[in-house]
Amino acid sequence: MSSLTDLPKWTIYVDGSCVGNQNVDANTPASWGMVVVVGDSGLGKGSGELHFETAGPVLTDSAAEGYIGAEVGSNNTAELSGFAAA
């Protein structure tokens, strides 16, 4: 049986962005991205192997599947949406 220290190291990177990031509202386009890297140093220097990647829009419609509470599309709600996806 392997110990947890013998398992490969996984690093998750998330980021978000929006158009303008000033005077934002529910209609401001914003989105997030997330990648999972195996064997990376954790410093974001491109070492390791890409294992998984995904991206999506910030959802501001409370009826939408995956809605996490964002009322506006902004840099902050995009980054938090990426974190929630991770």
Side-chain angles (χ1 to χ4, degrees):
M1 178 182 227
S2 297
S3 71
L4 290 177
T5 57
D6 295 334
L7 298 174
K9 182 178 180 178
W10 293 48
T11 305
I12 300 173
Y13 294 98
V14 298
D15 202 1
S17 184
C18 78
V19 175
N21 206 34
Q22 292 182 359
N23 303 317
V24 296
D25 61 25
N27 297 313
T28 301
S31 59
W32 54 270
M34 175 193 67
V35 297
V36 178
V37 178
V38 179
D40 188 43
S41 66
L43 300 176
K45 294 186 176 183
S47 60
E49 179 181 330
L50 179 64
H51 178 74
F52 178 77
E53 65 182 320
T54 188
V58 171
L59 302 174
T60 56
D61 177 358
S62 62
E65 183 178 342
Y67 174 73
I68 64 166
E71 295 179 357
V72 299
S74 71
N75 240 17
N76 291 342
T77 59
E79 290 171 352
L80 289 170
S81 295
F83 181 75

